[in-house]
Amino acid sequence: MQLLFCMQTFTFLSLNSEGLKKLLIAMLNSTGVSIEVFILTLLFSIPLALVIAFGRMSRYKLISGITNAFLLVIRGTPLMLQLFFVYFAPPLLFNHGFDRFTAAIIAMVINYACYFAEIYRGGIQAIPLGQYEAFKILGFSKSQGFFQIVLPQVVKKIIPAMGNEVITLVKDTALVQVLGVAELFHVAKTQSGRLVSVLPLFIAGIFYFIMNWGVSKAFALLEKKLGYYK
């Protein structure tokens, strides 16, 4: 243990400016991949979640039953298992699969859409029935009333819960490494093994912290901006 600590300390101290520069460039490039996974997951999961939420609340028992069963499966199994399933199952079932990055995005989108859907459902059902009656009296159609009157209030109510899930998403981007996607944590582990040093892992921790700090600030600003909904 002492020998390993000494080796790591020696590597940390012996890393010259050129080596540190190369390490930072590699880490920054992999951070770009993590951010890409994060953005694409949000971009597709947020609208998909609304569709799933509507299916969950459908008056038709068949639709709501199938949606509820799907939610139970996705929320009841690990994300890592879902990543493996999306990547390995299609070639076996349909003789056609996805590349590693696409499979990772599909699995992440489906997983987070299901969690976001339940947050949406809670927010929608928390809106008083009088709001729905009011927009009908004002002559709004069902879709106009929902998107112009109800949805803005739902967004205000669900911001804290959504913020927590999005912060978790930042950290969960590290799971795509199981498919060989060279995101931040994957590169950090590789560089840590190559250099026999914990420095890359430390740098990765700083990068994750900065990304989560940015997400937290963004949601705080959004909540403040929507503060007129009391």
Side-chain angles (χ1 to χ4, degrees):
M1 181 66 70
Q2 291 180 345
L3 177 61
L4 179 59
F5 177 78
C6 291
M7 291 175 64
Q8 291 176 342
T9 304
F10 175 76
T11 304
F12 178 83
L13 294 174
S14 63
L15 196 63
N16 57 29
S17 59
E18 185 63 28
L20 184 59
K21 180 181 178 181
K22 290 181 179 179
L23 174 62
L24 289 175
I25 290 174
M27 299 290 286
L28 285 170
N29 288 336
S30 61
T31 301
V33 176
S34 294
I35 292 174
E36 188 176 0
V37 172
F38 172 79
I39 292 175
L40 289 174
T41 300
L42 275 186
L43 183 65
F44 293 107
S45 64
I46 287 177
L48 177 60
L50 192 59
V51 175
I52 295 173
F54 285 148
R56 176 75 170 80
M57 296 183 294
S58 175
R59 69 181 69 178
Y60 301 105
K61 291 186 177 181
L62 179 62
I63 296 175
S64 62
I66 292 174
T67 305
N68 190 43
F70 180 71
L71 286 169
L72 287 173
V73 171
I74 298 300
R75 298 176 70 206
T77 55
L79 175 55
M80 188 178 296
L81 179 62
Q82 295 165 22
L83 286 162
F84 282 128
F85 180 83
V86 173
Y87 182 66
F88 290 107
L92 296 175
L93 298 175
F94 310 110
N95 294 320
H96 178 75
F98 305 103
D99 62 78
R100 296 174 189 274
F101 186 81
T102 303
I105 297 300
I106 291 173
M108 295 283 288
V109 166
I110 293 173
N111 182 275
Y112 271 86
C114 289
Y115 282 95
F116 290 157
E118 285 298 276
I119 295 174
Y120 287 170
R121 183 177 67 87
I124 292 170
Q125 292 180 339
I127 301 299
L129 292 176
Q131 296 286 331
Y132 296 91
E133 295 171 357
F135 72 67
K136 289 179 181 178
I137 293 174
L138 292 172
F140 286 92
S141 67
K142 185 178 291 186
S143 60
Q144 287 176 326
F146 178 80
F147 286 105
Q148 296 181 31
I149 297 176
V150 175
L151 189 58
Q153 297 177 68
V154 171
V155 171
K156 167 63 179 176
K157 289 180 179 294
I158 67 175
I159 282 177
M162 287 291 287
N164 289 335
E165 285 298 324
V166 174
I167 287 174
T168 301
L169 171 59
V170 172
K171 294 177 284 188
D172 277 352
T173 57
L175 292 178
V176 302
Q177 66 170 308
V178 299
L179 298 184
V181 178
E183 49 69 58
L184 177 58
F185 192 67
H186 176 82
V187 172
K189 287 201 308 180
T190 302
Q191 293 292 331
S192 181
R194 184 179 67 85
L195 297 172
V196 195
S197 172
V198 296
L199 179 59
L201 296 175
F202 178 75
I203 294 173
I206 293 174
F207 285 177
Y208 280 118
F209 174 79
I210 292 172
M211 287 188 286
N212 274 325
W213 177 82
V215 169
S216 298
K217 282 294 183 180
F219 273 89
L221 289 172
L222 182 60
E223 190 169 5
K224 184 178 180 180
K225 186 174 181 180
L226 295 176
Y228 51 81
Y229 287 109
K230 301 296 184 182

